[in-house]
Amino acid sequence: MKASLQNIFFRHKNPGTEKVTGTKNRKERKERFQRQTAFFNRYSLLFHALMSCLFVLIIESCSRRSVTGALAFAGSHTFAFLFNSLIIFASLTVVYLFRRRALMRIIISSIWLLLGIVNGCVLSQRVTPFGFTDFKCISDLMSMTNTQYFSRSQAICVVILLSLLTVFLVILAFKGPKFQGQPHRLRSVIMCGVMCVIMSAATSLAQDANWMASYFSNIAQGYSDYGFVYGFSSSVMDRGMNKPQDYSRQKIQRIEADVARAKQKKASFHVADSDNVVSDATDNKQPNIICVLLESFMDPAEINFLKTSEDPVPNFRSLSKNYTSGYLTVPVIGAGTANTEFEVLTGMNLRFFGTGEYPYKTILKKTNCESIASDLSDIGYGTHVVHNNGGNFYSRANAFSQFGFDSFTSKELMNIQEYTPLGSWPTDDILIRETEKALDATPDQSDFVYTITVQGHGAYPSEKILTDPEIRVSGAETEEKNNQWEYYVNQIHEVDKFIGNLTDMLSKRDEKTIVVLFGDHLPTMGLTEADMKSGNIFKTQYATWNNFGMKKKDADLTAYQLLAYATQQAGIYEGTIFTYHQTSRYKTDDQAYQNGLENLQYDILYGKRYCYNGYDRYPASDLQMGVEKTHIYSYRKNKDGSLSVFGDNFTNWSRIYVNDTKMSTTFVSDRQLVLSADHVEELTDGDILKVCQSSGKTIFRSTENSMTYYNSEPEGADPEI
């Protein structure tokens, strides 16, 4: 007891001794930490191997949203599980190049885990898993905030988590441990190089032995069978097109010679032109061609378990019954509209590109590409795109320029007033008038109009949204699923009304017209092949309409064959790729047919362009945004101090610019915009006013004229509003 009191007294009365004791404890902790670090460094390769296996389990649990699913993957696809682990293990060897190995381990581990978490989040909203090209779609994703697809609260959570991780890594970079032994940098470099060689050899061996797939015909299934780490790594390494082994000038010339001979004879697998095309001696003008992408569209009757209170798509069904129609094999499911679109417009097969690649975001960023638009332009067509979504989404404005389109009317140039019940997407009825405007813009030409709908887009709410739905749905396994299907089916029902109204509008025009309508992919609803009457989740449907007597000739096609078949029925043989399809009998499983298509695609996009004799035959167009012009007529000060600007063709995306600076603007109508009183107070005599339709920093269209602001109102009456 006395000793204890002495110790307490001594501690309080002798701070120097306490300091020595604290220093000793810190030294002991440091030595213990160093011993532990030395132990981990000595057996680091073993720990890396264990960490890699653990990370694969975590990543697969996120992807499959089930720990048992991840364990089942490890048990039933053991080689794939170990191969995924090997990829992570190889990436961890990079830590030996640095002294702060703990920091590098955490950085590399965090990257893999974040990718796995992102993939899990992506798969909760779509069927297609996360790939490298999706990084190029981040700007598109951010433009979709506050929708059912991606909420602002989710964006905030992501930013917070990434910020916390960044702060932690910065602290670790300054305060974390350093490797204290001999660095052996040459040995570390050699080890990393050896791992790269091992990974390359192992990948080739595994693919040659068919233990791991070199190509995923079904990306979702490929990721499921072979793991996220391998699938994502494939999307990083495998981009663009590989040069075909037999690619040469002579090869391309032989293909073109065969096509020319077949075209000369007007050879056709289905029917000769005379069986299809109704001659009209009084009108030699080529028919208008309206191609309509129906977002996430399908006939609900194609789903085995679904029951509806009435037919939700009577107009589409009528077209299918009376005009050329069939199944359409598309390259994506649940998402990836731009890739189906790419195949339809170019006639190119996406299979020859890298895993999960979006050509709009890769090769088309810098390279022009022959398309149906450039081919029809060659024979005098006006070519237009109409879409009630953003002009920069999927980099479409750039892609359509590379394709050679004349004009593109995006949502920024439309006076959109009606939206789906969730407010997520515009309704499609506005596209009827916008399609008609595109046709009217070139009265002396035949036109190709590519119209893209959006109303059927997901996500579809599991809660009851429609209190009195026009179509009632049952048959799904849960009430939540029935709610989703009911919402989807009623939106598709509205799209079907759009189809009927579109053909009614076109039938009243005194012009020969062909309409081609197709679904871009099945909806994101977890459908399996067993659920589908077609037995294939990559099959949608297409239907056509015409007003000049073309005979019904049904055929099941791929997306890249669709417009070749439609134009062939109309007697139009134009374009490098399209005439190749028209003269090659559409045999998708024919090796020679696919080899020729691969060579032509490579030649046009990546090769020497032997098919054009080395020339840039189809340069990018100077794409005009919209087919209508806008003007400012006058401005007027209001009693509340604000400023009204009057003109024409304004939209919700119109903004008043003062001296080329965008100002916050209130949309009143297509003829009136208002600048707030706060901004008006900052105006000075001589400021230049104009109106632009914009998306972010991109200005799509500006008024043809501008006006100079003066504090006193300009002379002249305001237009009626």
Side-chain angles (χ1 to χ4, degrees):
M1 181 70 179
K2 183 178 180 181
S4 299
L5 291 173
Q6 287 176 341
N7 287 336
I8 295 171
F9 178 78
F10 184 81
R11 231 179 5 251
H12 284 286
K13 296 297 183 180
N14 297 278
T17 304
E18 182 181 358
K19 183 176 181 180
V20 170
T21 303
T23 302
K24 181 180 179 181
N25 291 336
R26 284 195 297 272
K27 184 177 180 181
E28 289 177 353
R29 287 196 299 270
K30 183 176 181 181
E31 290 175 351
R32 186 167 62 252
F33 178 76
Q34 288 175 344
R35 287 195 301 271
Q36 292 171 345
T37 302
F39 175 78
F40 282 110
N41 284 331
R42 186 177 301 115
Y43 300 103
S44 60
L45 290 176
L46 175 61
F47 287 117
H48 283 183
L50 294 174
M51 287 170 56
S52 299
C53 293
L54 177 62
F55 289 160
V56 172
L57 283 175
I58 295 172
I59 289 169
E60 291 302 318
S61 296
C62 293
S63 298
R64 300 163 198 272
R65 281 158 288 179
S66 167
V67 175
T68 56
L71 293 173
F73 168 71
S76 60
H77 297 81
T78 305
F79 183 85
F81 172 80
L82 294 175
F83 199 87
N84 279 256
S85 302
L86 179 62
I87 294 173
I88 295 180
F89 178 83
S91 68
L92 286 170
T93 59
V94 174
V95 305
Y96 297 111
L97 299 175
F98 301 87
R99 280 194 174 275
R100 294 196 179 274
R101 295 182 178 180
L103 173 66
M104 293 308 301
R105 284 190 186 98
I106 293 176
I107 290 176
I108 294 170
S109 302
S110 297
I111 290 173
W112 282 116
L113 292 175
L114 283 172
L115 289 173
I117 293 170
V118 168
N119 184 54
C121 294
V122 167
L123 289 176
S124 70
Q125 296 291 341
R126 74 183 197 194
V127 177
T128 306
F130 185 71
F132 180 76
T133 310
D134 283 310
F135 280 117
K136 298 178 180 292
C137 300
I138 289 177
S139 60
D140 298 335
L141 182 64
M142 297 309 297
S143 70
M144 296 170 66
T145 55
N146 251 11
T147 70
Q148 290 294 311
Y149 206 69
F150 181 64
S151 69
R152 184 167 286 117
S153 61
Q154 288 174 320
I156 293 172
C157 288
V158 170
V159 171
I160 292 174
L161 290 174
L162 290 178
S163 299
L164 291 174
L165 177 61
T166 302
V167 171
F168 172 73
L169 292 175
V170 169
I171 294 173
L172 191 63
F174 287 98
K175 301 293 185 180
K178 289 183 180 180
F179 178 68
Q180 300 300 320
Q182 186 68 25
H184 300 295
R185 292 191 180 274
L186 179 60
R187 186 171 66 184
S188 299
V189 171
I190 292 173
M191 182 174 66
C192 290
V194 169
M195 280 305 305
C196 289
V197 173
I198 291 174
M199 281 304 309
S200 178
T203 302
S204 297
L205 177 63
Q207 291 177 349
D208 292 342
N210 290 323
W211 296 334
M212 303 295 285
S214 59
Y215 172 76
F216 300 154
S217 58
N218 181 335
I219 296 175
Q221 191 62 49
Y223 272 56
S224 178
D225 290 344
Y226 301 105
F228 169 78
V229 174
Y230 176 73
F232 183 84
S233 300
S234 297
S235 74
V236 174
M237 303 303 296
D238 183 20
R239 286 183 287 157
M241 287 183 64
N242 294 323
K243 182 179 178 180
Q245 292 183 349
D246 57 345
Y247 173 71
S248 65
R249 180 189 294 273
Q250 292 74 23
K251 174 71 174 181
I252 299 300
Q253 289 175 340
R254 283 197 300 271
I255 294 171
E256 291 213 295
D258 291 342
V259 170
R261 283 193 295 271
K263 180 180 175 182
Q264 185 67 30
K265 296 176 183 179
K266 293 190 176 181
S268 168
F269 175 61
H270 294 280
V271 288
D273 293 341
S274 58
D275 292 334
N276 266 299
V277 182
V278 177
S279 61
D280 187 345
T282 62
D283 182 9
N284 293 321
K285 188 178 179 182
Q286 298 278 17
N288 294 326
I289 301 173
I290 315 296
C291 181
V292 185
L293 182 153
L294 302 171
E295 171 64 42
S296 301
F297 184 90
M298 64 173 297
D299 180 356
E302 287 290 308
I303 303 172
N304 291 324
F305 62 81
L306 206 62
K307 298 178 179 62
T308 58
S309 59
E310 61 182 85
D311 185 2
V313 290
N315 292 304
F316 187 83
R317 195 177 312 285
S318 176
L319 296 183
S320 299
K321 180 179 178 181
N322 295 296
Y323 301 91
T324 297
S325 60
Y327 284 115
L328 187 71
T329 301
V330 297
V332 294
I333 175 173
T337 297
N339 280 350
T340 302
E341 180 174 284
F342 174 82
E343 287 200 346
V344 169
L345 294 179
T346 64
M348 295 184 180
N349 188 347
L350 204 70
R351 178 175 181 175
F352 301 129
F353 290 85
T355 301
E357 181 169 356
Y358 289 89
Y360 279 18
K361 292 287 187 177
T362 54
I363 185 63
L364 289 182
K365 281 289 190 178
K366 57 184 178 180
T367 302
N368 53 55
C369 177
E370 183 182 351
S371 74
I372 189 68
S374 51
D375 292 337
L376 292 178
S377 291
D378 267 1
I379 57 173
Y381 273 75
T383 56
H384 318 275
V385 182
V386 175
H387 183 30
N388 51 343
N389 199 11
N392 279 334
F393 192 58
Y394 279 130
S395 299
R396 274 189 167 115
N398 172 75
F400 293 148
S401 172
Q402 301 287 22
F403 285 156
F405 278 96
D406 296 331
S407 71
F408 176 23
T409 304
S410 62
K411 74 173 183 180
E412 290 86 0
L413 311 171
M414 298 181 187
N415 187 13
I416 296 173
Q417 300 295 321
E418 296 184 11
Y419 288 81
T420 56
L422 288 175
S424 306
W425 308 104
T427 57
D428 291 333
D429 51 338
I430 193 171
L431 296 175
I432 298 170
R433 176 58 184 144
E434 295 299 333
T435 299
E436 189 172 27
K437 288 180 184 178
L439 293 170
D440 291 340
T442 52
D444 299 324
Q445 287 180 281
S446 298
D447 290 288
F448 173 77
V449 183
Y450 175 49
T451 300
I452 312 167
T453 72
V454 77
Q455 187 165 353
H457 203 298
Y460 314 109
S462 58
E463 64 272 16
K464 185 79 170 177
I465 297 295
L466 306 175
T467 56
D468 187 22
E470 191 170 347
I471 309 291
R472 297 190 180 277
V473 175
S474 61
E477 56 188 4
T478 65
E479 183 180 354
E480 289 75 16
K481 284 288 186 182
N482 272 326
N483 289 336
Q484 288 184 300
W485 280 113
E486 190 165 83
Y487 184 89
Y488 167 77
V489 167
N490 278 275
Q491 294 313 302
I492 292 302
H493 183 53
E494 294 299 315
V495 176
D496 187 72
K497 293 178 182 177
F498 153 78
I499 293 172
N501 292 332
L502 176 67
T503 53
D504 284 347
M505 179 272 289
L506 294 170
S507 66
K508 296 173 184 177
R509 298 176 64 90
D510 188 22
E511 298 174 305
K512 292 192 297 185
T513 303
I514 301 169
V515 178
V516 181
L517 307 109
F518 68 94
D520 59 335
H521 54 68
L522 298 187
T524 310
M525 298 286 271
L527 291 168
T528 65
E529 293 185 344
D531 296 327
M532 307 303 299
K533 288 183 179 178
S534 68
N536 190 332
I537 56 175
F538 284 87
K539 281 189 176 180
T540 64
Q541 294 157 286
Y542 78 92
T544 64
W545 173 88
N546 71 86
N547 60 357
F548 58 99
M550 286 174 57
K551 291 186 178 180
K552 178 178 173 66
K553 294 292 179 180
D554 291 348
D556 293 343
L557 303 168
T558 62
Y560 55 84
Q561 295 169 332
L562 179 62
L563 287 183
Y565 189 67
T567 52
Q568 178 183 339
Q569 285 196 297
I572 299 173
Y573 291 82
E574 292 295 330
T576 308
I577 298 289
F578 291 105
T579 53
Y580 176 78
H581 289 310
Q582 291 167 341
T583 58
S584 298
R585 298 181 178 266
Y586 304 103
K587 293 183 179 179
T588 57
D589 58 348
D590 187 301
Q591 187 175 355
Y593 168 58
Q594 293 295 340
N595 174 259
L597 179 58
E598 182 180 13
N599 270 275
L600 287 175
Q601 285 186 209
Y602 181 84
D603 186 53
I604 290 172
L605 288 175
Y606 297 92
K608 301 293 186 180
R609 295 193 167 180
Y610 296 130
C611 60
Y612 306 148
N613 293 319
Y615 295 110
D616 188 12
R617 183 176 174 184
Y618 298 102
S621 64
D622 183 13
L623 188 70
Q624 175 184 321
M625 295 301 295
V627 294
E628 295 179 312
K629 298 183 179 185
T630 59
H631 302 84
I632 296 179
Y633 296 133
S634 64
Y635 59 84
R636 180 190 67 200
K637 279 189 176 181
N638 302 315
K639 292 180 179 179
D640 62 358
S642 62
L643 186 76
S644 289
V645 174
F646 300 95
D648 55 18
N649 298 321
F650 297 155
T651 74
N652 276 305
W653 288 267
S654 294
R655 300 292 181 266
I656 297 171
Y657 279 65
V658 178
N659 300 328
D660 294 325
T661 299
K662 182 166 65 175
M663 313 300 288
S664 178
T665 305
T666 300
F667 173 79
V668 177
S669 72
D670 61 347
R671 300 187 66 192
Q672 182 182 7
L673 304 173
V674 174
L675 189 65
S676 69
D678 292 341
H679 288 311
V680 174
E681 290 177 359
E682 299 173 1
L683 295 179
T684 59
D685 287 354
D687 283 343
I688 304 300
L689 305 177
K690 66 178 179 180
V691 173
C692 304
Q693 276 91 4
S694 61
S695 174
K697 296 181 180 179
T698 305
I699 295 177
F700 287 134
R701 180 175 66 183
S702 301
T703 47
E704 292 285 295
N705 65 317
S706 58
M707 297 193 73
T708 303
Y709 173 80
Y710 293 100
N711 192 36
S712 56
E713 293 187 19
E715 296 181 0
D718 297 325
E720 294 181 3
I721 59 173

